[in-house]
Amino acid sequence: MNNEKKKFDLIVIGAGPAGYVAALRASQLGIKNICVVEKDRPGGVCLNWGCIPSKSLIHSAETFDSRKDLEKMGVKIDITGFNFGSVYKQSRKVTDILSRGVAFLLKKNNITLIQKEFKFVSDYELESEDGEKITAEKIIIASGAVPRSIPNVDIDEDLIISSKGALSLTTLPSKVLIVGSGAIGVEFAFIWNSFGVEVHIVEIMENILPMEDEESALLIRNLFEKKGIKIFTKASIDKIEKNGNKSSVSITANDGTKIMEEYEKILIATGRKASTEALGIENTSIQLEKGFIKVNERFMTNVAGIYAIGDVINTLQLAHVGSREGELAAEYISGKKDIHAIDYNFVPKCIYCQPEVASFGFTEKQLKANNVSYRKVNFPYRINGKSVSSESTNGFVKVLYEENKKNILGAHVAGHNATEIIHELLLIKEANIAPQKAGNIIHAHPTLSEMIMESMKMIEGCAVNV
Protein backbone atom coordinates (compact mmCIF):
# COMPACT_ATOMS: atom_id res chain seq x y z
CA MET A 1 0.00 0.00 0.00
CA ASN A 2 1.29 3.45 -0.96
CA ASN A 3 1.06 5.75 2.07
CA GLU A 4 2.15 8.83 0.15
CA LYS A 5 -0.34 11.69 0.36
CA LYS A 6 -1.59 13.23 -2.87
CA LYS A 7 -1.59 17.00 -2.48
CA PHE A 8 -4.16 19.16 -4.27
CA ASP A 9 -4.84 22.88 -4.29
CA LEU A 10 -8.56 22.26 -3.70
CA ILE A 11 -10.52 19.18 -2.67
CA VAL A 12 -14.30 19.09 -3.09
CA ILE A 13 -16.15 16.38 -1.15
CA GLY A 14 -19.21 15.43 -3.16
CA ALA A 15 -20.05 15.68 -6.86
CA GLY A 16 -23.66 16.77 -6.57
CA PRO A 17 -25.10 20.08 -7.81
CA ALA A 18 -23.17 21.99 -5.11
CA GLY A 19 -19.87 20.13 -5.34
CA TYR A 20 -19.32 19.71 -9.06
CA VAL A 21 -20.41 23.30 -9.76
CA ALA A 22 -17.97 24.56 -7.10
CA ALA A 23 -15.15 22.60 -8.75
CA LEU A 24 -16.00 23.86 -12.25
CA ARG A 25 -16.27 27.47 -11.09
CA ALA A 26 -12.96 27.19 -9.22
CA SER A 27 -11.34 25.91 -12.41
CA GLN A 28 -12.79 28.83 -14.38
CA LEU A 29 -11.28 31.21 -11.84
CA GLY A 30 -7.80 29.79 -12.31
CA ILE A 31 -7.47 27.38 -9.42
CA LYS A 32 -5.37 24.44 -10.55
CA ASN A 33 -4.98 20.87 -9.36
CA ILE A 34 -8.58 20.34 -8.18
CA CYS A 35 -9.86 17.00 -6.90
CA VAL A 36 -13.50 15.95 -6.50
CA VAL A 37 -14.25 12.85 -4.42
CA GLU A 38 -17.61 11.12 -4.77
CA LYS A 39 -18.66 7.75 -3.36
CA ASP A 40 -21.48 7.36 -5.91
CA ARG A 41 -21.76 8.58 -9.50
CA PRO A 42 -21.15 12.18 -10.60
CA GLY A 43 -24.26 14.30 -10.13
CA GLY A 44 -24.95 13.31 -6.54
CA VAL A 45 -28.33 12.46 -5.07
CA CYS A 46 -30.22 15.08 -7.11
CA LEU A 47 -29.16 13.77 -10.48
CA ASN A 48 -29.02 10.05 -9.63
CA TRP A 49 -31.67 9.53 -6.95
CA GLY A 50 -33.68 12.73 -6.65
CA CYS A 51 -34.66 15.70 -8.80
CA ILE A 52 -33.87 14.20 -12.19
CA PRO A 53 -35.25 10.63 -12.10
CA SER A 54 -38.37 11.85 -10.28
CA LYS A 55 -39.04 14.31 -13.10
CA SER A 56 -38.67 11.46 -15.58
CA LEU A 57 -41.30 9.50 -13.63
CA ILE A 58 -43.54 12.58 -13.53
CA HIS A 59 -43.23 12.96 -17.31
CA SER A 60 -44.18 9.30 -17.77
CA ALA A 61 -47.07 9.69 -15.33
CA GLU A 62 -48.37 12.70 -17.26
CA THR A 63 -48.09 10.77 -20.53
CA PHE A 64 -49.94 7.79 -19.05
CA ASP A 65 -52.64 10.00 -17.56
CA SER A 66 -53.11 11.87 -20.85
CA ARG A 67 -54.69 8.76 -22.39
CA LYS A 68 -57.93 10.07 -20.86
CA ASP A 69 -57.77 13.03 -23.25
CA LEU A 70 -57.50 10.64 -26.20
CA GLU A 71 -60.44 8.64 -24.87
CA LYS A 72 -62.52 11.85 -24.97
CA MET A 73 -61.79 11.93 -28.72
CA GLY A 74 -63.12 8.42 -29.15
CA VAL A 75 -59.76 6.66 -29.16
CA LYS A 76 -59.79 3.27 -27.44
CA ILE A 77 -56.59 2.48 -25.55
CA ASP A 78 -55.61 -0.98 -24.35
CA ILE A 79 -53.25 -0.70 -21.35
CA THR A 80 -53.08 -4.41 -20.55
CA GLY A 81 -49.51 -4.55 -21.83
CA PHE A 82 -48.33 -1.69 -19.63
CA ASN A 83 -45.09 -2.48 -17.83
CA PHE A 84 -43.87 -0.09 -15.13
CA GLY A 85 -40.41 -1.60 -15.48
CA SER A 86 -40.03 0.30 -18.76
CA VAL A 87 -40.86 3.55 -16.91
CA TYR A 88 -38.15 2.76 -14.37
CA LYS A 89 -35.63 1.96 -17.12
CA GLN A 90 -36.29 5.29 -18.83
CA SER A 91 -35.69 7.16 -15.58
CA ARG A 92 -32.34 5.40 -15.15
CA LYS A 93 -31.41 6.11 -18.77
CA VAL A 94 -31.93 9.83 -18.13
CA THR A 95 -29.68 9.76 -15.05
CA ASP A 96 -26.98 7.85 -16.97
CA ILE A 97 -26.90 10.48 -19.70
CA LEU A 98 -26.65 13.41 -17.31
CA SER A 99 -24.17 11.72 -14.96
CA ARG A 100 -21.85 11.08 -17.89
CA GLY A 101 -22.29 14.74 -18.79
CA VAL A 102 -21.05 15.84 -15.36
CA ALA A 103 -18.07 13.49 -15.60
CA PHE A 104 -17.27 14.95 -19.04
CA LEU A 105 -17.34 18.52 -17.70
CA LEU A 106 -14.98 17.61 -14.87
CA LYS A 107 -12.58 15.92 -17.28
CA LYS A 108 -12.82 18.80 -19.75
CA ASN A 109 -11.72 21.17 -17.00
CA ASN A 110 -8.82 18.92 -15.92
CA ILE A 111 -10.44 18.16 -12.57
CA THR A 112 -9.47 14.87 -10.94
CA LEU A 113 -12.47 12.71 -10.03
CA ILE A 114 -11.90 9.95 -7.47
CA GLN A 115 -14.95 7.71 -7.03
CA LYS A 116 -14.38 6.51 -3.48
CA GLU A 117 -15.69 7.39 -0.05
CA PHE A 118 -13.20 9.51 1.90
CA LYS A 119 -13.32 10.69 5.49
CA PHE A 120 -11.30 13.24 7.44
CA VAL A 121 -8.41 11.93 9.52
CA SER A 122 -7.40 15.49 10.46
CA ASP A 123 -8.41 19.01 9.45
CA TYR A 124 -6.79 19.00 6.01
CA GLU A 125 -6.27 15.31 5.33
CA LEU A 126 -8.68 12.66 4.07
CA GLU A 127 -8.33 8.93 3.67
CA SER A 128 -10.34 6.30 1.81
CA GLU A 129 -11.19 2.83 3.08
CA ASP A 130 -8.43 1.32 0.97
CA GLY A 131 -5.83 3.68 2.47
CA GLU A 132 -5.54 6.34 -0.24
CA LYS A 133 -4.65 9.68 1.35
CA ILE A 134 -5.25 13.16 -0.06
CA THR A 135 -4.67 16.62 1.37
CA ALA A 136 -5.25 20.27 0.49
CA GLU A 137 -5.16 23.66 2.16
CA LYS A 138 -8.57 24.44 0.69
CA ILE A 139 -11.47 21.99 1.06
CA ILE A 140 -15.15 22.37 0.18
CA ILE A 141 -17.56 19.96 1.88
CA ALA A 142 -20.62 19.28 -0.27
CA SER A 143 -21.67 15.88 1.02
CA GLY A 144 -25.41 16.55 0.70
CA ALA A 145 -28.20 15.08 2.80
CA VAL A 146 -29.86 11.77 3.56
CA PRO A 147 -33.54 10.90 4.24
CA ARG A 148 -34.91 11.67 7.69
CA SER A 149 -37.18 9.06 9.27
CA ILE A 150 -39.78 9.38 12.04
CA PRO A 151 -39.41 8.13 15.64
CA ASN A 152 -39.39 4.33 16.07
CA VAL A 153 -39.55 3.70 12.32
CA ASP A 154 -36.63 2.20 10.41
CA ILE A 155 -36.42 2.68 6.66
CA ASP A 156 -35.62 -0.78 5.27
CA GLU A 157 -36.12 0.11 1.57
CA ASP A 158 -38.45 -2.89 1.33
CA LEU A 159 -41.80 -2.23 2.98
CA ILE A 160 -40.80 1.13 4.42
CA ILE A 161 -38.96 3.15 1.80
CA SER A 162 -37.25 6.49 1.28
CA SER A 163 -37.40 8.53 -1.92
CA LYS A 164 -34.48 6.44 -3.22
CA GLY A 165 -36.48 3.29 -2.59
CA ALA A 166 -39.46 4.82 -4.35
CA LEU A 167 -37.29 5.67 -7.35
CA SER A 168 -35.94 2.10 -7.38
CA LEU A 169 -39.32 0.39 -7.76
CA THR A 170 -39.67 -1.65 -10.94
CA THR A 171 -43.26 -2.69 -10.21
CA LEU A 172 -46.16 -0.65 -8.88
CA PRO A 173 -47.57 -1.33 -5.41
CA SER A 174 -51.33 -1.63 -5.16
CA LYS A 175 -51.67 0.68 -2.15
CA VAL A 176 -49.21 3.12 -0.57
CA LEU A 177 -49.01 5.41 2.42
CA ILE A 178 -46.97 8.60 2.11
CA VAL A 179 -45.85 10.09 5.42
CA GLY A 180 -45.19 13.79 4.85
CA SER A 181 -46.59 16.09 2.18
CA GLY A 182 -43.76 18.37 1.17
CA ALA A 183 -42.42 18.37 -2.38
CA ILE A 184 -41.27 14.73 -2.34
CA GLY A 185 -44.48 13.38 -0.83
CA VAL A 186 -46.79 15.34 -3.12
CA GLU A 187 -44.83 14.51 -6.27
CA PHE A 188 -44.89 10.76 -5.56
CA ALA A 189 -48.59 10.98 -4.69
CA PHE A 190 -49.17 12.44 -8.16
CA ILE A 191 -46.96 9.83 -9.86
CA TRP A 192 -48.49 6.78 -8.21
CA ASN A 193 -52.07 8.03 -8.45
CA SER A 194 -51.62 8.69 -12.16
CA PHE A 195 -50.56 5.06 -12.64
CA GLY A 196 -53.61 3.77 -10.74
CA VAL A 197 -52.12 3.13 -7.31
CA GLU A 198 -54.31 3.76 -4.26
CA VAL A 199 -52.57 6.60 -2.38
CA HIS A 200 -53.01 7.86 1.18
CA ILE A 201 -51.12 10.81 2.69
CA VAL A 202 -50.55 11.50 6.38
CA GLU A 203 -49.39 15.01 7.31
CA ILE A 204 -48.88 16.18 10.90
CA MET A 205 -49.39 19.85 9.97
CA GLU A 206 -52.69 21.57 9.26
CA ASN A 207 -52.21 21.63 5.47
CA ILE A 208 -50.38 19.60 2.88
CA LEU A 209 -47.45 21.54 1.41
CA PRO A 210 -47.13 23.30 4.80
CA MET A 211 -44.31 25.58 3.65
CA GLU A 212 -46.28 26.89 0.69
CA ASP A 213 -49.03 29.48 0.28
CA GLU A 214 -52.23 28.19 1.89
CA GLU A 215 -54.26 28.89 -1.25
CA SER A 216 -51.82 26.83 -3.33
CA ALA A 217 -51.96 23.98 -0.82
CA LEU A 218 -55.76 24.02 -0.77
CA LEU A 219 -55.93 23.89 -4.57
CA ILE A 220 -53.64 20.85 -4.71
CA ARG A 221 -55.52 19.14 -1.89
CA ASN A 222 -58.89 19.61 -3.56
CA LEU A 223 -57.63 18.32 -6.91
CA PHE A 224 -55.84 15.37 -5.29
CA GLU A 225 -58.96 14.37 -3.40
CA LYS A 226 -61.02 14.57 -6.60
CA LYS A 227 -58.53 12.10 -8.09
CA GLY A 228 -59.13 9.70 -5.20
CA ILE A 229 -56.08 10.45 -3.03
CA LYS A 230 -57.01 10.15 0.64
CA ILE A 231 -55.41 12.87 2.79
CA PHE A 232 -55.13 12.97 6.57
CA THR A 233 -53.89 16.33 7.91
CA LYS A 234 -53.20 17.13 11.57
CA ALA A 235 -52.75 13.38 11.84
CA SER A 236 -50.07 11.09 13.21
CA ILE A 237 -48.70 7.58 12.84
CA ASP A 238 -49.11 5.61 16.07
CA LYS A 239 -47.72 2.26 15.06
CA ILE A 240 -46.48 0.30 12.07
CA GLU A 241 -46.53 -3.51 12.13
CA LYS A 242 -45.05 -5.57 9.32
CA ASN A 243 -47.16 -8.52 8.21
CA GLY A 244 -45.40 -10.48 5.50
CA ASN A 245 -45.30 -8.36 2.37
CA LYS A 246 -47.54 -5.63 3.81
CA SER A 247 -47.63 -3.29 6.80
CA SER A 248 -50.52 -2.49 9.12
CA VAL A 249 -50.58 1.15 10.18
CA SER A 250 -52.43 2.79 13.04
CA ILE A 251 -53.28 6.42 12.27
CA THR A 252 -54.77 9.03 14.59
CA ALA A 253 -56.89 11.46 12.55
CA ASN A 254 -57.33 15.13 13.40
CA ASP A 255 -60.55 14.44 15.32
CA GLY A 256 -58.89 11.76 17.43
CA THR A 257 -60.37 8.86 15.48
CA LYS A 258 -58.16 5.76 15.29
CA ILE A 259 -57.80 4.34 11.79
CA MET A 260 -56.20 1.01 10.81
CA GLU A 261 -55.05 0.57 7.23
CA GLU A 262 -52.84 -1.96 5.43
CA TYR A 263 -50.28 -0.86 2.84
CA GLU A 264 -47.94 -2.57 0.43
CA LYS A 265 -45.40 0.27 0.67
CA ILE A 266 -44.88 3.17 3.07
CA LEU A 267 -42.89 6.15 1.80
CA ILE A 268 -41.27 8.25 4.52
CA ALA A 269 -41.09 11.76 3.06
CA THR A 270 -40.51 13.85 6.17
CA GLY A 271 -37.46 15.73 4.96
CA ARG A 272 -33.72 15.20 4.82
CA LYS A 273 -30.85 15.72 7.25
CA ALA A 274 -27.27 16.79 6.61
CA SER A 275 -24.97 13.93 5.60
CA THR A 276 -22.14 14.38 8.10
CA GLU A 277 -21.95 11.03 9.90
CA ALA A 278 -19.55 9.36 7.44
CA LEU A 279 -17.26 12.38 7.00
CA GLY A 280 -15.07 11.80 10.03
CA ILE A 281 -15.93 15.24 11.39
CA GLU A 282 -15.01 13.99 14.86
CA ASN A 283 -11.39 13.84 13.67
CA THR A 284 -11.37 17.56 12.88
CA SER A 285 -11.95 20.89 14.58
CA ILE A 286 -15.00 21.58 12.40
CA GLN A 287 -18.05 22.67 14.39
CA LEU A 288 -21.60 21.43 13.88
CA GLU A 289 -24.79 23.28 14.78
CA LYS A 290 -28.16 21.52 14.92
CA GLY A 291 -26.73 18.67 12.86
CA PHE A 292 -25.43 20.96 10.10
CA ILE A 293 -21.89 22.14 9.46
CA LYS A 294 -21.62 25.66 10.86
CA VAL A 295 -20.43 28.28 8.37
CA ASN A 296 -20.17 32.07 8.14
CA GLU A 297 -21.63 34.28 5.40
CA ARG A 298 -18.74 33.26 3.12
CA PHE A 299 -19.45 29.53 3.65
CA MET A 300 -16.24 29.06 5.63
CA THR A 301 -16.29 26.81 8.67
CA ASN A 302 -14.48 27.67 11.88
CA VAL A 303 -11.40 26.02 10.35
CA ALA A 304 -9.59 28.38 7.98
CA GLY A 305 -9.66 27.18 4.39
CA ILE A 306 -12.45 24.62 4.91
CA TYR A 307 -15.82 25.54 3.43
CA ALA A 308 -19.22 23.83 3.35
CA ILE A 309 -22.11 24.28 0.91
CA GLY A 310 -25.40 22.73 -0.14
CA ASP A 311 -27.62 20.47 1.95
CA VAL A 312 -24.90 19.91 4.55
CA ILE A 313 -25.36 23.50 5.84
CA ASN A 314 -28.47 25.09 7.31
CA THR A 315 -29.84 26.85 4.22
CA LEU A 316 -32.56 25.85 1.76
CA GLN A 317 -32.12 22.22 0.70
CA LEU A 318 -32.56 22.86 -3.02
CA ALA A 319 -30.23 21.83 -5.83
CA HIS A 320 -30.19 25.28 -7.41
CA VAL A 321 -29.32 26.85 -4.07
CA GLY A 322 -26.44 24.40 -3.63
CA SER A 323 -25.15 25.20 -7.11
CA ARG A 324 -25.14 28.92 -6.42
CA GLU A 325 -23.45 28.36 -3.07
CA GLY A 326 -20.83 26.33 -4.93
CA GLU A 327 -20.15 29.19 -7.31
CA LEU A 328 -19.88 31.64 -4.42
CA ALA A 329 -17.56 29.44 -2.37
CA ALA A 330 -15.22 29.12 -5.35
CA GLU A 331 -15.33 32.89 -5.84
CA TYR A 332 -14.52 33.55 -2.17
CA ILE A 333 -11.62 31.09 -2.31
CA SER A 334 -10.23 32.68 -5.48
CA GLY A 335 -10.45 36.19 -4.01
CA LYS A 336 -12.98 37.45 -6.56
CA LYS A 337 -14.47 40.86 -5.83
CA ASP A 338 -18.04 42.16 -6.32
CA ILE A 339 -19.71 38.92 -5.30
CA HIS A 340 -23.52 38.86 -5.40
CA ALA A 341 -24.64 37.01 -2.26
CA ILE A 342 -27.82 34.95 -2.01
CA ASP A 343 -31.00 36.40 -0.56
CA TYR A 344 -32.55 33.17 0.68
CA ASN A 345 -35.96 34.81 1.03
CA PHE A 346 -36.18 35.16 -2.73
CA VAL A 347 -35.16 31.77 -4.07
CA PRO A 348 -37.67 29.97 -6.33
CA LYS A 349 -39.22 26.84 -4.83
CA CYS A 350 -40.90 24.44 -7.22
CA ILE A 351 -43.13 21.38 -6.86
CA TYR A 352 -43.73 19.31 -9.98
CA CYS A 353 -47.07 17.61 -9.37
CA GLN A 354 -49.94 18.54 -11.68
CA PRO A 355 -50.86 21.29 -11.45
CA GLU A 356 -47.44 22.58 -10.48
CA VAL A 357 -46.70 24.92 -7.58
CA ALA A 358 -43.97 27.56 -7.57
CA SER A 359 -43.14 30.44 -5.29
CA PHE A 360 -40.59 32.82 -3.87
CA GLY A 361 -40.62 35.31 -1.04
CA PHE A 362 -43.11 35.44 1.79
CA THR A 363 -46.53 33.85 2.19
CA GLU A 364 -49.56 35.76 3.42
CA LYS A 365 -49.39 33.83 6.68
CA GLN A 366 -45.78 34.92 7.26
CA LEU A 367 -46.51 38.57 6.49
CA LYS A 368 -49.49 38.60 8.85
CA ALA A 369 -47.47 36.91 11.61
CA ASN A 370 -44.84 39.65 11.31
CA ASN A 371 -47.40 42.47 11.11
CA VAL A 372 -46.21 43.48 7.65
CA SER A 373 -48.73 45.55 5.67
CA TYR A 374 -49.23 44.27 2.15
CA ARG A 375 -51.62 44.17 -0.75
CA LYS A 376 -52.22 41.38 -3.25
CA VAL A 377 -53.46 40.63 -6.72
CA ASN A 378 -54.68 37.24 -7.87
CA PHE A 379 -55.10 36.43 -11.56
CA PRO A 380 -56.94 33.13 -12.24
CA TYR A 381 -55.84 30.67 -14.93
CA ARG A 382 -59.46 30.20 -15.99
CA ILE A 383 -59.56 33.54 -17.82
CA ASN A 384 -56.24 33.11 -19.63
CA GLY A 385 -56.68 32.21 -23.30
CA LYS A 386 -53.83 29.67 -23.40
CA SER A 387 -55.08 27.96 -20.23
CA VAL A 388 -58.62 27.65 -21.55
CA SER A 389 -57.53 26.39 -24.97
CA SER A 390 -55.23 23.77 -23.43
CA GLU A 391 -57.82 22.71 -20.82
CA SER A 392 -55.56 23.62 -17.90
CA THR A 393 -57.67 26.18 -16.07
CA ASN A 394 -56.97 25.15 -12.47
CA GLY A 395 -54.67 27.70 -10.85
CA PHE A 396 -53.74 31.29 -10.24
CA VAL A 397 -50.93 33.83 -10.17
CA LYS A 398 -50.74 35.68 -6.85
CA VAL A 399 -48.43 38.61 -6.15
CA LEU A 400 -47.96 40.10 -2.68
CA TYR A 401 -46.53 43.60 -2.63
CA GLU A 402 -45.93 46.64 -0.46
CA GLU A 403 -48.67 49.21 -0.46
CA ASN A 404 -46.40 51.73 -2.18
CA LYS A 405 -46.27 49.28 -5.16
CA LYS A 406 -42.46 49.40 -5.33
CA ASN A 407 -41.53 46.09 -3.82
CA ILE A 408 -42.75 42.54 -4.42
CA LEU A 409 -42.84 40.66 -1.11
CA GLY A 410 -43.80 37.27 -2.49
CA ALA A 411 -45.18 35.51 -5.54
CA HIS A 412 -47.13 32.26 -5.68
CA VAL A 413 -48.14 30.44 -8.82
CA ALA A 414 -50.21 27.26 -8.85
CA GLY A 415 -51.12 25.83 -12.21
CA HIS A 416 -49.83 24.40 -15.47
CA ASN A 417 -46.15 25.27 -16.08
CA ALA A 418 -45.98 27.26 -12.83
CA THR A 419 -42.36 26.20 -12.37
CA GLU A 420 -41.43 27.93 -15.61
CA ILE A 421 -43.42 31.17 -15.42
CA ILE A 422 -42.40 31.96 -11.81
CA HIS A 423 -39.05 33.19 -13.10
CA GLU A 424 -40.43 36.22 -14.91
CA LEU A 425 -41.88 37.41 -11.61
CA LEU A 426 -38.54 36.76 -9.92
CA LEU A 427 -36.75 38.77 -12.60
CA ILE A 428 -39.16 41.67 -12.05
CA LYS A 429 -38.37 41.49 -8.34
CA GLU A 430 -34.59 41.12 -8.64
CA ALA A 431 -34.20 43.75 -11.36
CA ASN A 432 -36.43 46.21 -9.50
CA ILE A 433 -38.68 46.62 -12.54
CA ALA A 434 -41.67 48.79 -11.69
CA PRO A 435 -45.07 47.09 -12.10
CA GLN A 436 -46.09 49.75 -14.62
CA LYS A 437 -43.06 49.03 -16.81
CA ALA A 438 -43.44 45.25 -16.47
CA GLY A 439 -47.14 45.52 -17.33
CA ASN A 440 -46.37 47.55 -20.45
CA ILE A 441 -44.10 44.85 -21.90
CA ILE A 442 -46.05 43.30 -24.78
CA HIS A 443 -46.50 39.56 -24.24
CA ALA A 444 -47.35 37.20 -27.09
CA HIS A 445 -50.94 36.02 -27.20
CA PRO A 446 -52.03 33.44 -26.23
CA THR A 447 -49.39 32.51 -23.63
CA LEU A 448 -49.41 31.65 -19.97
CA SER A 449 -46.90 34.43 -19.37
CA GLU A 450 -49.64 36.95 -20.20
CA MET A 451 -50.82 36.30 -16.64
CA ILE A 452 -47.64 37.96 -15.37
CA MET A 453 -48.36 41.03 -17.49
CA GLU A 454 -51.96 41.06 -16.28
CA SER A 455 -50.85 40.75 -12.64
CA MET A 456 -48.59 43.79 -13.01
CA LYS A 457 -51.46 45.73 -14.62
CA MET A 458 -53.71 44.71 -11.73
CA ILE A 459 -51.21 46.24 -9.30
CA GLU A 460 -51.47 49.47 -11.29
CA GLY A 461 -55.25 49.21 -11.48
CA CYS A 462 -55.33 49.08 -15.27
CA ALA A 463 -55.91 45.40 -16.14
CA VAL A 464 -58.70 45.03 -18.71
CA ASN A 465 -59.03 41.22 -18.80
CA VAL A 466 -60.12 40.59 -15.23
Side-chain angles (χ1 to χ4, degrees), residues 377-384 397 451 453-455 457-459 461-466:
V377 295
N378 191 317
F379 190 91
Y381 266 60
R382 67 177 181 274
I383 57 175
N384 171 262
V397 174
M451 291 186 287
M453 175 188 70
E454 295 285 3
S455 298
K457 287 180 179 290
M458 286 175 74
I459 292 174
C462 60
V464 297
N465 290 305
V466 63

Side-chain angles (χ1 to χ4, degrees), residues 105-330:
L105 287 173
L106 294 175
K107 184 177 181 180
K108 177 184 175 183
N109 285 272
N110 299 312
I111 296 168
T112 300
L113 172 64
I114 305 177
Q115 290 183 262
K116 295 180 185 178
E117 185 171 18
F118 281 80
K119 65 187 299 184
F120 283 98
V121 293
S122 65
D123 282 346
Y124 302 99
E125 183 179 339
L126 297 100
E127 185 175 352
S128 66
E129 283 189 347
D130 62 2
E132 184 174 1
K133 296 179 180 178
I134 57 176
T135 183
E137 292 182 1
K138 297 287 189 294
I139 298 174
I140 299 176
I141 303 170
S143 52
V146 294
R148 186 192 305 276
S149 190
I150 58 177
N152 304 314
V153 174
D154 294 324
I155 296 173
D156 58 17
E157 300 298 11
D158 180 19
L159 298 180
I160 303 174
I161 60 177
S162 68
S163 55
K164 183 175 181 178
L167 290 165
S168 301
L169 295 178
T170 56
T171 59
L172 287 169
S174 58
K175 183 178 179 181
V176 298
L177 172 65
I178 300 173
V179 183
S181 65
I184 293 172
V186 165
E187 288 180 5
F188 274 106
F190 167 74
I191 292 166
W192 284 329
N193 173 262
S194 296
F195 284 118
V197 176
E198 183 178 351
V199 178
H200 294 184
I201 298 173
V202 167
E203 170 58 58
I204 196 170
M205 303 296 284
E206 187 173 355
N207 297 316
I208 64 168
L209 297 174
M211 303 305 291
E212 290 297 323
D213 172 77
E214 289 184 351
E215 195 172 349
S216 298
L218 182 60
L219 173 70
I220 299 303
R221 177 171 188 160
N222 288 341
L223 292 174
F224 272 20
E225 289 179 334
K226 285 180 181 179
K227 292 180 178 180
I229 297 173
K230 196 169 185 178
I231 299 172
F232 303 94
T233 50
K234 296 181 71 176
S236 60
I237 303 294
D238 299 322
K239 191 175 182 181
I240 298 175
E241 289 185 352
K242 297 179 182 179
N243 301 311
N245 61 353
K246 293 184 179 180
S247 297
S248 296
V249 182
S250 173
I251 301 168
T252 299
N254 61 355
D255 60 359
T257 304
K258 299 291 184 179
I259 301 166
M260 285 294 298
E261 293 277 358
E262 195 171 62
Y263 301 97
E264 193 172 330
K265 298 290 182 185
I266 300 172
L267 169 61
I268 305 297
T270 52
R272 299 176 67 81
K273 61 181 181 179
S275 180
T276 59
E277 294 177 2
L279 284 175
I281 293 291
E282 67 277 6
N283 300 321
T284 73
S285 307
I286 298 170
Q287 294 178 354
L288 300 180
E289 187 173 66
K290 298 179 180 179
F292 296 95
I293 295 178
K294 185 179 180 180
V295 296
N296 63 16
E297 69 280 358
R298 298 168 69 90
F299 305 107
M300 188 187 289
T301 69
N302 61 298
V303 180
I306 299 183
Y307 297 73
I309 55 175
D311 290 356
V312 79
I313 66 174
N314 194 11
T315 56
L316 293 171
Q317 290 188 329
L318 298 169
H320 43 287
V321 171
S323 293
R324 182 60 184 146
E325 289 172 347
E327 292 175 339
L328 291 173

